Amino acid sequence: YNQLASLYFTSGDTAMRQLYHFRENDGYGLSSFTTGPLILFFIPYFLLASITSGVMAPAGLFVPTFLSGAALGRLIGHWLNTLFPGYVADSGTYALIGAAAILGGVARMTIAGCVIVLEACGNLTYLLPLMLTFAVARYAGNAINEPMYDMQIHLKEMPFLEGSLHSLGLLNYQPISKIMATGVVTLNEIEKVKRVMEVLSTTSHNGFPVVGRDGRLRGLILRKTLCGLLKYKAYSTPISATKNADGGIPLAQAATFFFDTLEKHYPNYPDVRAIKLIDKEMNFWLDMRAHMDPSPPTLNEATSLRRGYNLFRTMGFRHLVVVDGNLFVVGIITRSDMNEHRLEHFWHSEKEQMQKEMTIDTLPTAIAYEVKQNVLPEFRSRRSGSVASNTTADTIETDIDLEILINDLEVSDSPNLKLRKKIAS
């Protein structure tokens, strides 16, 4: 038989069985695999596996690393058996250790790799050599470069976040507003179909903050939801041409679509380019209140970058809306913005400027007000019941602002009207 052909022209599992189980000597004084065929197999196979890794093909690195590592280990075992015959283990054992070394160096697996190889060979006597091999391969690889799979994640720009954010100097403690995307495209709770079509056609964003008439955040709606509503024509039409006193247009209730109806197209959601609307439909309205997320995850613009990173990592968010103290949308953060490589690049480019701009803001002078403890709880229990019936105006001290007490009573669920009139007089 031909040694090289028995490795190249067979399946991967058959080639591995030959490298693992064929004895060093074939019983006639000849080696099962000599130096030349093992070198001619290992070098091209390893290089081809390195070149083709990451291509859009249904192939992985697990079997190639095992097979190339077995060839390398078999080569080392053959040399040792040639130099020290009868004093070293069989070449098949070295093939197993070589496969573990290449696997540990490429994938940086330690415990999982050790368990896989140990279960494959079924011999507990190899436990200690395998543990040492995986440990040395892992730490030697970490000293040279990063793992193969991490390289592919970075090259493909996948938004994968590590378990913890490495130290990036002062950037870790900078506010989230330093890296957020500004000029956020927002939608109103009730928006014209024409406006929604324009936003979907001119942007590629996955989510859009929904704001009220006052500009404050009301929710978040996804692109797939908007496309689904447009496809099913969930429009609201005006009831009459007469407007309300405040200029509003009364609209008829639109058809309600449940979550299952909008999600049944997963993963091939409707595309806005495939939605065709007539001019009349462009003037209809789209009510997003029943389909948006009314409590989207938000961050205050003063939140530290490290806390934002931990939220993305632990909660699995795709995007976070950044608001100010009055709930006005000032920016948005996506998972891609929190990528460690992007943060590191931002830190190296803006480090000097951040150090120059770093200042400690002084707070305004603190002002304290004394309030009697026996009166204050009665006027702050807005949801705990009515004010005690025996409360009279004589118990109110003069150092309490009467206007505050009147307002507090007016917003209470069940205010004491008699007491309120007495205080107002």
Side-chain angles (χ1 to χ4, degrees):
Y1 72 100
N2 185 281
Q3 300 179 23
L4 196 58
S6 64
L7 295 175
Y8 271 118
F9 298 127
T10 57
S11 60
D13 56 341
T14 303
M16 280 192 289
R17 277 199 296 266
Q18 293 175 358
L19 292 172
Y20 292 149
H21 298 295
F22 279 11
R23 308 290 297 178
E24 172 62 25
N25 297 316
D26 59 358
Y28 298 96
L30 300 175
S31 297
S32 300
F33 291 101
T34 56
T35 302
L38 290 174
I39 292 178
L40 291 176
F41 176 76
F42 169 71
I43 295 178
Y45 195 85
F46 183 78
L47 292 177
L48 289 174
S50 302
I51 294 173
T52 57
S53 63
V55 299
M56 302 299 291
L61 286 175
F62 195 79
V63 173
T65 53
F66 256 98
L67 189 52
S68 58
L72 179 61
R74 183 87 189 194
L75 178 62
I76 302 299
H78 171 67
W79 287 346
L80 293 177
N81 277 275
T82 302
L83 296 175
F84 310 102
Y87 293 96
V88 294
D90 190 76
S91 297
T93 303
Y94 286 95
L96 180 67
I97 300 300
I102 298 295
L103 179 63
V106 172
R108 309 294 160 82
M109 300 171 66
T110 51
I111 298 177
C114 185
V115 171
I116 292 172
V117 177
L118 192 64
E119 287 291 332
C121 66
N123 194 342
L124 289 177
T125 57
Y126 294 141
L127 177 60
L128 182 59
L130 288 174
M131 291 175 61
L132 294 176
T133 301
F134 276 106
V136 172
R138 174 186 175 88
Y139 292 110
N142 289 339
I144 299 173
N145 58 8
E146 58 184 357
M148 173 66 72
Y149 297 114
D150 289 11
M151 290 181 183
Q152 294 182 4
I153 289 175
H154 299 152
L155 290 175
K156 295 179 181 295
E157 297 183 352
M158 296 180 179
F160 178 80
L161 304 183
E162 298 291 343
S164 61
L165 180 63
H166 296 164
S167 178
L168 295 176
L170 297 176
L171 182 62
N172 290 3
Y173 307 100
Q174 292 290 325
I176 204 76
S177 58
K178 289 288 185 181
I179 64 168
M180 71 181 183
T182 57
V184 183
V185 179
T186 60
L187 296 173
N188 295 316
E189 290 179 298
I190 302 175
E191 192 71 79
K192 264 199 171 184
V193 174
K194 181 179 180 180
R195 159 74 173 161
V196 176
M197 287 292 294
E198 290 177 355
V199 170
L200 294 177
S201 302
T202 57
T203 64
S204 59
H205 307 320
N206 182 66
F208 301 93
V210 180
V211 298
R213 292 184 61 192
D214 55 358
R216 288 184 171 85
L217 181 67
R218 292 292 186 270
L220 182 78
I221 192 165
L222 300 180
R223 169 180 286 267
K224 62 180 183 181
T225 305
L226 291 174
C227 292
L229 294 177
L230 292 175
K231 179 181 178 179
Y232 290 111
K233 303 184 183 300
Y235 311 138
S236 295
T237 56
I239 298 176
S240 63
T242 306
K243 295 184 179 181
N244 294 338
D246 57 354
I249 303 175
L251 299 177
Q253 179 68 35
T256 302
F257 292 93
F258 294 100
F259 179 79
D260 295 341
T261 305
L262 298 175
E263 287 291 324
K264 69 179 182 179
H265 299 286
Y266 173 85
N268 300 316
Y269 293 109
D271 190 354
V272 65
R273 293 171 295 184
I275 300 175
K276 305 300 181 183
L277 302 178
I278 61 177
D279 294 339
K280 181 180 179 181
E281 293 175 331
M282 289 292 187
N283 295 321
F284 291 158
W285 300 84
L286 199 64
D287 189 354
M288 290 172 271
R289 294 175 299 173
H291 305 283
M292 68 181 184
D293 181 6
S295 58
T298 59
L299 281 178
N300 188 275
E301 58 182 344
T303 305
S304 67
L305 195 146
R306 178 179 288 275
R307 178 176 293 182
Y309 184 94
N310 292 335
L311 280 175
F312 272 103
R313 182 65 178 83
T314 56
M315 303 301 294
F317 294 140
R318 181 169 180 173
H319 28 54
L320 284 172
V321 182
V322 184
V323 297
D324 59 8
N326 297 319
L327 289 181
F328 289 104
V329 179
V330 295
I332 195 167
I333 296 287
T334 64
R335 198 175 184 86
S336 300
D337 296 328
M338 304 301 292
N339 184 276
E340 190 167 348
H341 281 257
R342 183 171 296 184
L343 293 178
E344 186 176 0
H345 175 74
F346 179 81
W347 166 244
H348 289 310
S349 61
E350 303 290 338
K351 174 172 57 177
E352 296 182 359
Q353 186 66 21
M354 284 185 181
Q355 291 175 345
K356 292 179 182 179
E357 295 177 353
M358 184 176 179
T359 58
I360 300 177
D361 297 332
T362 58
L363 298 176
T365 304
I367 301 176
Y369 299 94
E370 287 190 10
V371 179
K372 295 300 182 178
Q373 297 295 327
N374 61 339
V375 177
L376 187 62
E378 297 180 0
F379 295 97
R380 288 190 175 177
S381 58
R382 301 182 179 182
R383 298 292 180 184
S384 60
S386 60
V387 182
S389 58
N390 58 352
T391 305
T392 60
D394 296 337
T395 62
I396 302 176
E397 300 293 336
T398 58
D399 58 350
I400 300 178
D401 194 342
L402 294 180
E403 183 178 357
I404 296 176
L405 297 180
I406 294 172
N407 293 336
D408 209 343
L409 283 171
E410 288 179 347
V411 299
S412 179
D413 289 341
S414 55
N416 192 320
L417 299 179
K418 182 178 180 181
L419 175 60
R420 188 178 62 191
K421 293 179 181 179
K422 190 173 183 179
I423 295 176
S425 61

